[in-house]
Protein backbone atom coordinates (compact mmCIF):
# COMPACT_ATOMS: atom_id res chain seq x y z
CA UNK A 1 0.00 0.00 0.00
CA UNK A 2 1.33 3.43 -0.95
CA UNK A 3 0.62 6.83 0.60
CA UNK A 4 -2.35 7.67 -1.63
CA UNK A 5 -3.97 4.30 -0.92
CA UNK A 6 -3.31 4.78 2.80
CA UNK A 7 -5.07 8.16 2.76
CA UNK A 8 -7.98 6.61 0.86
CA UNK A 9 -8.24 3.95 3.57
CA UNK A 10 -8.33 6.60 6.31
CA UNK A 11 -11.05 8.57 4.54
CA UNK A 12 -13.06 5.40 3.90
CA UNK A 13 -12.86 4.51 7.59
CA UNK A 14 -14.07 7.98 8.57
CA UNK A 15 -17.26 7.10 6.68
CA UNK A 16 -17.54 3.51 7.93
CA UNK A 17 -15.08 1.63 10.14
CA UNK A 18 -15.98 -1.65 8.46
CA UNK A 19 -14.32 -0.39 5.26
CA UNK A 20 -11.05 -1.63 6.76
CA UNK A 21 -12.18 -5.17 5.91
CA UNK A 22 -12.60 -4.23 2.26
CA UNK A 23 -9.09 -2.77 2.12
CA UNK A 24 -7.67 -5.86 3.78
CA UNK A 25 -9.09 -7.83 0.85
CA UNK A 26 -7.58 -5.41 -1.69
CA UNK A 27 -4.11 -4.91 -0.21
CA UNK A 28 -1.64 -7.27 1.40
CA UNK A 29 0.51 -4.71 3.19
CA UNK A 30 -0.04 -1.58 5.28
CA UNK A 31 1.67 1.69 4.36
CA UNK A 32 4.96 1.20 6.18
CA UNK A 33 5.92 4.89 6.05
CA UNK A 34 2.94 6.10 8.07
CA UNK A 35 3.97 7.13 11.58
CA UNK A 36 1.67 4.68 13.32
CA UNK A 37 2.60 1.63 11.25
CA UNK A 38 6.31 2.46 11.32
CA UNK A 39 6.38 2.75 15.12
CA UNK A 40 4.52 -0.53 15.62
CA UNK A 41 6.78 -2.46 13.25
CA UNK A 42 10.11 -0.99 14.36
CA UNK A 43 9.62 0.22 17.94
CA UNK A 44 7.37 -2.42 19.53
CA UNK A 45 9.46 -5.45 18.58
CA UNK A 46 11.06 -6.89 21.72
CA UNK A 47 14.69 -7.14 20.55
CA UNK A 48 14.41 -4.33 17.94
CA UNK A 49 16.17 -6.54 15.39
CA UNK A 50 14.36 -4.92 12.44
CA UNK A 51 15.23 -1.42 13.63
CA UNK A 52 18.88 -2.32 14.21
CA UNK A 53 19.16 -3.91 10.78
CA UNK A 54 17.48 -0.91 9.09
CA UNK A 55 19.65 1.68 10.84
CA UNK A 56 22.90 -0.22 10.27
CA UNK A 57 22.03 -0.55 6.58
CA UNK A 58 21.09 3.07 6.00
CA UNK A 59 23.99 4.45 8.04
CA UNK A 60 26.45 2.03 6.47
CA UNK A 61 27.60 0.71 9.85
CA UNK A 62 29.50 -2.58 9.71
CA UNK A 63 31.81 -4.71 11.86
CA UNK A 64 32.79 -3.12 15.16
CA UNK A 65 30.95 0.10 14.23
CA UNK A 66 27.62 -1.67 13.76
CA UNK A 67 24.86 -1.25 16.32
CA UNK A 68 24.43 -4.47 18.31
CA UNK A 69 21.72 -3.37 20.75
CA UNK A 70 19.47 -0.35 21.13
CA UNK A 71 17.34 0.90 24.00
CA UNK A 72 14.41 3.07 23.00
CA UNK A 73 13.45 6.15 24.97
CA UNK A 74 10.54 8.56 25.29
CA UNK A 75 9.94 10.15 21.92
CA UNK A 76 8.81 13.53 23.22
CA UNK A 77 10.82 16.46 24.54
CA UNK A 78 8.21 18.87 25.96
CA UNK A 79 8.58 22.53 25.15
CA UNK A 80 9.92 24.85 27.85
CA UNK A 81 7.88 28.01 28.49
CA UNK A 82 6.63 29.02 25.02
CA UNK A 83 8.93 26.72 22.99
CA UNK A 84 7.52 24.05 20.67
CA UNK A 85 7.41 20.39 21.67
CA UNK A 86 9.76 17.98 19.93
CA UNK A 87 8.27 14.59 19.05
CA UNK A 88 10.41 12.10 17.15
CA UNK A 89 9.23 8.86 15.59
CA UNK A 90 12.04 6.87 17.25
CA UNK A 91 14.89 7.84 19.55
CA UNK A 92 17.25 5.36 21.17
CA UNK A 93 20.66 4.78 22.70
CA UNK A 94 22.94 2.11 21.26
CA UNK A 95 25.20 -0.31 23.11
CA UNK A 96 28.04 2.17 22.44
CA UNK A 97 26.14 5.04 24.08
CA UNK A 98 25.35 6.73 20.77
CA UNK A 99 22.03 8.44 20.08
CA UNK A 100 19.91 7.39 17.11
CA UNK A 101 17.03 9.56 15.91
CA UNK A 102 14.74 8.18 13.20
CA UNK A 103 12.12 10.35 11.51
CA UNK A 104 9.76 9.21 8.76
CA UNK A 105 8.52 12.05 6.58
CA UNK A 106 5.74 11.46 4.06
CA UNK A 107 5.64 14.89 2.44
CA UNK A 108 8.10 17.75 2.10
CA UNK A 109 7.47 21.25 3.39
CA UNK A 110 9.38 24.53 3.47
CA UNK A 111 10.54 24.03 7.06
CA UNK A 112 11.47 20.35 7.12
CA UNK A 113 15.20 21.12 7.30
CA UNK A 114 14.56 23.63 10.09
CA UNK A 115 12.63 20.98 12.00
CA UNK A 116 15.50 18.48 11.66
CA UNK A 117 17.92 20.99 13.19
CA UNK A 118 15.45 21.77 15.96
CA UNK A 119 14.96 18.09 16.79
CA UNK A 120 18.71 17.49 16.97
CA UNK A 121 19.24 20.57 19.12
CA UNK A 122 16.60 19.45 21.62
CA UNK A 123 18.28 16.05 21.93
CA UNK A 124 21.68 17.70 22.36
CA UNK A 125 20.51 19.96 25.18
CA UNK A 126 19.42 16.88 27.17
CA UNK A 127 22.84 15.19 27.03
CA UNK A 128 24.99 17.33 29.32
CA UNK A 129 23.96 17.59 32.95
CA UNK A 130 25.09 19.91 35.71
CA UNK A 131 28.72 19.33 36.81
CA UNK A 132 29.45 17.28 33.67
CA UNK A 133 31.92 18.30 31.01
CA UNK A 134 30.70 19.32 27.58
CA UNK A 135 31.16 15.96 25.94
CA UNK A 136 28.47 14.81 23.55
CA UNK A 137 27.86 11.26 22.34
CA UNK A 138 27.77 10.54 18.63
CA UNK A 139 24.32 11.45 17.33
CA UNK A 140 22.81 9.93 14.19
CA UNK A 141 19.76 11.44 12.53
CA UNK A 142 18.14 9.16 9.97
CA UNK A 143 15.43 10.69 7.80
CA UNK A 144 13.36 8.25 5.72
CA UNK A 145 11.65 10.38 3.10
CA UNK A 146 8.73 9.60 0.80
CA UNK A 147 9.54 12.71 -1.25
CA UNK A 148 12.51 14.25 -3.06
CA UNK A 149 14.71 16.53 -0.94
CA UNK A 150 17.78 16.68 -3.20
CA UNK A 151 16.59 17.15 -6.80
CA UNK A 152 20.05 18.44 -7.74
CA UNK A 153 21.42 14.90 -7.26
CA UNK A 154 19.08 12.82 -9.49
CA UNK A 155 21.05 9.55 -9.28
CA UNK A 156 21.84 9.55 -5.56
CA UNK A 157 19.29 8.31 -3.06
CA UNK A 158 21.25 8.37 0.23
CA UNK A 159 22.70 11.67 1.39
CA UNK A 160 25.16 12.20 4.25
CA UNK A 161 24.93 15.83 5.35
CA UNK A 162 27.77 17.30 7.38
CA UNK A 163 28.87 20.72 8.57
CA UNK A 164 32.05 21.42 6.60
CA UNK A 165 34.96 23.82 7.04
CA UNK A 166 37.75 24.03 4.45
CA UNK A 167 36.73 20.68 2.99
CA UNK A 168 36.77 18.86 6.34
CA UNK A 169 34.01 17.83 8.73
CA UNK A 170 33.78 20.43 11.48
CA UNK A 171 31.92 18.25 14.02
CA UNK A 172 31.79 14.62 12.88
CA UNK A 173 29.95 13.43 16.00
CA UNK A 174 26.66 14.61 14.47
CA UNK A 175 25.70 12.73 11.32
CA UNK A 176 22.56 13.40 9.30
CA UNK A 177 21.52 10.80 6.75
CA UNK A 178 18.55 11.28 4.44
CA UNK A 179 17.14 8.45 2.33
CA UNK A 180 14.93 9.39 -0.63
CA UNK A 181 12.83 6.26 -0.92
CA UNK A 182 10.72 7.11 -3.94
CA UNK A 183 13.83 8.26 -5.81
CA UNK A 184 15.33 4.81 -5.24
CA UNK A 185 12.16 3.26 -6.67
CA UNK A 186 12.56 5.37 -9.83
CA UNK A 187 16.26 4.53 -10.12
CA UNK A 188 15.42 0.85 -9.70
CA UNK A 189 12.73 1.08 -12.39
CA UNK A 190 15.25 2.67 -14.77
CA UNK A 191 17.80 -0.08 -14.03
CA UNK A 192 20.33 2.40 -12.63
CA UNK A 193 20.59 0.64 -9.26
CA UNK A 194 20.62 -2.89 -10.72
CA UNK A 195 24.24 -3.46 -9.64
CA UNK A 196 23.74 -1.88 -6.21
CA UNK A 197 23.96 -4.80 -3.76
CA UNK A 198 24.43 -2.71 -0.63
CA UNK A 199 22.42 -3.51 2.49
CA UNK A 200 20.61 -0.17 2.06
CA UNK A 201 19.53 -1.09 -1.47
CA UNK A 202 18.30 -4.50 -0.31
CA UNK A 203 16.27 -2.88 2.45
CA UNK A 204 14.71 -0.46 -0.02
CA UNK A 205 13.86 -3.32 -2.37
CA UNK A 206 12.00 -4.98 0.49
CA UNK A 207 10.18 -1.70 1.23
CA UNK A 208 9.37 -1.43 -2.49
CA UNK A 209 7.61 -4.80 -2.35
CA UNK A 210 5.46 -3.43 0.49
CA UNK A 211 4.67 0.00 -0.96
CA UNK A 212 4.15 -1.16 -4.55
CA UNK A 213 2.43 -4.45 -3.61
CA UNK A 214 4.87 -6.34 -5.85
CA UNK A 215 5.83 -10.03 -5.94
CA UNK A 216 8.68 -10.78 -3.55
CA UNK A 217 12.05 -11.28 -5.32
CA UNK A 218 13.80 -14.54 -4.46
CA UNK A 219 16.74 -12.74 -2.87
CA UNK A 220 14.43 -10.85 -0.52
CA UNK A 221 12.46 -14.00 0.34
CA UNK A 222 15.67 -15.84 1.23
CA UNK A 223 16.59 -13.18 3.80
CA UNK A 224 15.21 -13.97 7.27
CA UNK A 225 15.12 -10.30 8.29
CA UNK A 226 13.07 -9.32 5.24
CA UNK A 227 10.69 -12.26 5.68
CA UNK A 228 10.12 -11.04 9.22
CA UNK A 229 9.55 -7.49 7.91
CA UNK A 230 6.99 -8.60 5.34
CA UNK A 231 5.09 -10.63 7.92
CA UNK A 232 5.11 -7.73 10.39
CA UNK A 233 3.62 -5.18 7.99
CA UNK A 234 0.73 -7.26 6.63
CA UNK A 235 -2.43 -5.16 6.67
CA UNK A 236 -4.40 -7.95 8.32
CA UNK A 237 -2.24 -7.48 11.45
CA UNK A 238 -3.53 -3.99 12.19
CA UNK A 239 -6.78 -3.18 13.95
CA UNK A 240 -9.23 -0.38 13.24
CA UNK A 241 -8.22 1.64 16.32
CA UNK A 242 -4.84 2.43 14.76
CA UNK A 243 -6.35 3.70 11.52
CA UNK A 244 -9.05 5.67 13.32
CA UNK A 245 -6.30 7.41 15.30
CA UNK A 246 -4.33 8.12 12.13
CA UNK A 247 -7.44 9.48 10.42
CA UNK A 248 -8.05 11.85 13.34
CA UNK A 249 -4.44 13.03 13.32
CA UNK A 250 -4.53 13.58 9.56
CA UNK A 251 -7.71 15.68 9.84
CA UNK A 252 -6.42 17.71 12.79
CA UNK A 253 -3.06 18.39 11.19
CA UNK A 254 -4.66 19.45 7.92
CA UNK A 255 -6.98 21.84 9.72
CA UNK A 256 -4.17 23.29 11.84
CA UNK A 257 -2.04 23.73 8.73
CA UNK A 258 -4.84 25.56 6.92
CA UNK A 259 -5.49 27.79 9.94
CA UNK A 260 -1.80 28.61 10.22
CA UNK A 261 -1.63 29.38 6.50
CA UNK A 262 -4.65 31.65 6.69
CA UNK A 263 -3.41 33.49 9.78
CA UNK A 264 0.10 33.75 8.39
CA UNK A 265 -1.19 35.22 5.16
CA UNK A 266 -3.14 37.85 7.09
CA UNK A 267 -0.11 38.69 9.25
CA UNK A 268 2.03 39.03 6.17
CA UNK A 269 -0.44 41.41 4.59
CA UNK A 270 -0.67 43.37 7.84
CA UNK A 271 3.11 43.71 7.90
CA UNK A 272 3.01 44.94 4.35
CA UNK A 273 0.46 47.54 5.38
CA UNK A 274 2.76 48.72 8.17
CA UNK A 275 5.53 49.13 5.62
CA UNK A 276 3.25 51.11 3.31
CA UNK A 277 2.98 48.29 0.73
CA UNK A 278 -0.75 47.52 1.06
CA UNK A 279 -3.90 48.80 2.68
CA UNK A 280 -6.64 47.39 4.81
CA UNK A 281 -4.72 45.19 7.27
CA UNK A 282 -7.76 45.07 9.53
CA UNK A 283 -9.86 43.94 6.60
CA UNK A 284 -7.39 41.15 5.80
CA UNK A 285 -7.51 39.91 9.39
CA UNK A 286 -11.29 39.95 9.15
CA UNK A 287 -11.13 37.84 5.98
CA UNK A 288 -8.72 35.39 7.62
CA UNK A 289 -11.12 35.01 10.56
CA UNK A 290 -14.02 34.44 8.17
CA UNK A 291 -12.02 31.70 6.43
CA UNK A 292 -11.36 30.06 9.80
CA UNK A 293 -15.08 30.14 10.66
CA UNK A 294 -15.98 28.66 7.27
CA UNK A 295 -13.57 25.75 7.86
CA UNK A 296 -15.08 25.24 11.33
CA UNK A 297 -18.58 25.25 9.81
CA UNK A 298 -17.52 22.66 7.22
CA UNK A 299 -16.07 20.42 9.95
CA UNK A 300 -19.30 20.59 11.93
CA UNK A 301 -21.30 19.81 8.80
CA UNK A 302 -19.16 16.69 8.30
CA UNK A 303 -20.10 15.49 11.78
CA UNK A 304 -17.19 16.68 13.93
CA UNK A 305 -18.13 17.41 17.54
CA UNK A 306 -18.34 20.88 19.09
CA UNK A 307 -15.47 19.90 21.41
CA UNK A 308 -13.21 18.95 18.51
CA UNK A 309 -14.02 22.08 16.51
CA UNK A 310 -13.41 24.41 19.47
CA UNK A 311 -10.02 22.78 20.05
CA UNK A 312 -8.81 22.74 16.44
CA UNK A 313 -10.13 26.13 15.35
CA UNK A 314 -9.46 27.94 18.64
CA UNK A 315 -13.09 28.95 19.25
CA UNK A 316 -15.13 29.28 22.40
CA UNK A 317 -18.09 26.94 22.76
CA UNK A 318 -20.53 29.81 22.15
CA UNK A 319 -18.65 30.79 18.97
CA UNK A 320 -18.75 27.21 17.71
CA UNK A 321 -22.51 26.98 18.41
CA UNK A 322 -23.06 30.26 16.57
CA UNK A 323 -21.08 28.93 13.60
CA UNK A 324 -23.16 25.76 13.63
CA UNK A 325 -26.42 27.75 13.62
CA UNK A 326 -25.41 30.07 10.79
CA UNK A 327 -25.91 28.78 7.23
CA UNK A 328 -22.82 28.34 5.04
CA UNK A 329 -21.75 31.27 2.89
CA UNK A 330 -23.10 31.07 -0.63
CA UNK A 331 -20.69 31.14 -3.56
CA UNK A 332 -20.77 34.24 -5.73
Amino acid sequence: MNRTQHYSLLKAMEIDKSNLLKYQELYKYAYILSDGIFKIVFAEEKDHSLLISLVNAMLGLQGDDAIKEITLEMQEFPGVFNKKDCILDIIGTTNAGEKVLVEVQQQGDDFFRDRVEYYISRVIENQVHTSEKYELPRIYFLGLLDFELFPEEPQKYIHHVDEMCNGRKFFPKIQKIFVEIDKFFELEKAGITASDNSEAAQWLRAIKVIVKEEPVPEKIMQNETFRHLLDSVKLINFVEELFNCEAKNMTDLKAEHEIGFSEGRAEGRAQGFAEGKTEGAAEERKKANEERLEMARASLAEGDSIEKVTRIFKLSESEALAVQAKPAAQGK
Side-chain angles (χ1 to χ4, degrees):
M1 179 180 289
N2 61 30
R3 183 174 65 207
T4 302
Q5 293 158 348
H6 177 71
Y7 284 178
S8 296
L9 165 60
L10 299 185
K11 286 188 172 295
M13 288 192 63
E14 281 189 298
I15 298 170
D16 187 344
K17 294 179 183 179
S18 66
N19 281 326
L20 174 59
L21 298 175
K22 299 176 184 177
Y23 275 78
Q24 287 173 336
E25 293 177 358
L26 289 172
Y27 299 102
K28 186 173 183 179
Y29 303 109
Y31 178 51
I32 192 172
L33 300 177
S34 80
D35 289 347
I37 302 296
F38 186 86
K39 289 175 183 176
I40 289 173
V41 172
F42 291 98
E44 294 190 3
E45 187 185 29
K46 187 175 181 180
D47 62 359
H48 306 307
S49 60
L50 286 175
L51 177 62
I52 291 170
S53 176
L54 173 70
V55 172
N56 279 333
M58 298 306 173
L59 271 55
L61 301 177
Q62 299 178 342
D64 293 340
D65 294 330
I67 298 169
K68 309 295 191 303
E69 299 176 7
I70 190 167
T71 302
L72 300 191
E73 305 166 17
M74 292 294 294
Q75 300 153 328
E76 181 173 359
F77 291 86
V80 179
F81 299 109
N82 62 341
K83 299 297 189 295
K84 289 183 73 68
D85 291 346
C86 168
I87 304 176
L88 290 146
D89 288 331
I90 290 178
I91 178 169
T93 302
T94 73
N95 49 289
E98 301 164 333
K99 294 291 180 182
V100 175
L101 291 60
V102 182
E103 182 72 8
V104 177
Q105 185 73 11
Q106 298 176 27
Q107 293 179 309
D109 60 61
D110 292 341
F111 300 107
F112 173 65
R113 299 185 192 209
D114 301 67
R115 186 150 47 88
V116 168
E117 299 299 331
Y118 182 69
Y119 285 176
I120 295 174
S121 71
R122 291 301 307 275
V123 173
I124 289 174
E125 74 171 351
N126 280 273
Q127 301 311 305
V128 180
H129 302 282
T130 304
S131 302
E132 292 182 349
K133 58 183 177 181
Y134 291 101
E135 182 178 9
L136 296 175
R138 185 179 295 277
I139 299 174
Y140 297 104
F141 178 92
L142 173 60
L144 301 172
L145 315 179
D146 198 12
F147 66 95
E148 187 175 44
L149 185 62
F150 302 93
E152 66 278 7
E153 299 182 79
Q155 295 194 6
K156 187 175 182 180
Y157 64 89
I158 294 185
H159 307 268
H160 293 254
V161 179
D162 297 289
E163 184 179 2
M164 305 296 290
C165 180
N166 297 323
R168 301 176 64 182
K169 295 180 182 179
F170 176 72
F171 192 68
K173 280 187 173 182
I174 297 179
Q175 296 189 29
K176 288 172 278 193
I177 297 91
F178 299 93
V179 183
E180 296 175 300
I181 295 174
D182 193 60
K183 182 185 285 185
F184 175 84
F185 294 169
E186 292 301 316
L187 293 173
E188 189 83 345
K189 182 178 179 180
I192 296 172
T193 52
S195 61
D196 186 346
N197 293 312
S198 65
E199 288 296 316
Q202 299 291 31
W203 254 98
L204 290 173
R205 288 179 183 120
I207 292 175
K208 185 169 179 280
V209 168
I210 295 166
V211 173
K212 301 288 188 180
E213 295 275 340
E214 295 180 345
V216 185
E218 186 64 27
K219 194 168 185 178
I220 298 299
M221 184 58 73
Q222 290 174 353
N223 186 297
E224 183 179 352
T225 296
F226 296 145
R227 289 200 306 271
H228 178 30
L229 172 70
L230 296 175
D231 286 339
S232 298
V233 80
K234 285 180 179 177
L235 185 57
I236 197 70
N237 296 339
F238 300 96
V239 296
E240 67 180 39
E241 285 78 10
L242 169 66
F243 295 104
N244 287 331
C245 181
E246 290 223 334
K248 177 181 180 301
N249 289 340
M250 183 179 71
T251 302
D252 291 359
L253 288 171
K254 181 180 178 182
E256 289 168 6
H257 171 77
E258 290 174 348
I259 292 168
F261 176 78
S262 177
E263 292 178 345
R265 181 172 58 186
E267 289 174 6
R269 289 171 176 166
Q271 182 179 357
F273 173 74
E275 295 172 354
K277 295 179 181 178
T278 189
E279 297 180 355
E283 183 64 24
E284 293 298 343
R285 290 188 179 278
K286 180 182 177 182
K287 288 181 180 178
N289 187 57
E290 289 174 352
E291 290 175 3
R292 179 166 64 103
L293 296 178
E294 282 299 322
M295 287 190 286
R297 185 175 294 109
S299 291
L300 288 166
E302 291 175 2
D304 287 337
S305 66
I306 290 289
E307 292 77 9
K308 178 177 179 178
V309 170
T310 56
R311 173 173 54 83
I312 294 177
F313 295 96
K314 303 175 184 177
L315 300 174
S316 67
E317 184 175 348
S318 60
E319 287 174 324
L321 289 170
V323 165
Q324 188 178 45
K326 183 178 177 182
Q330 298 297 315
K332 295 181 180 180

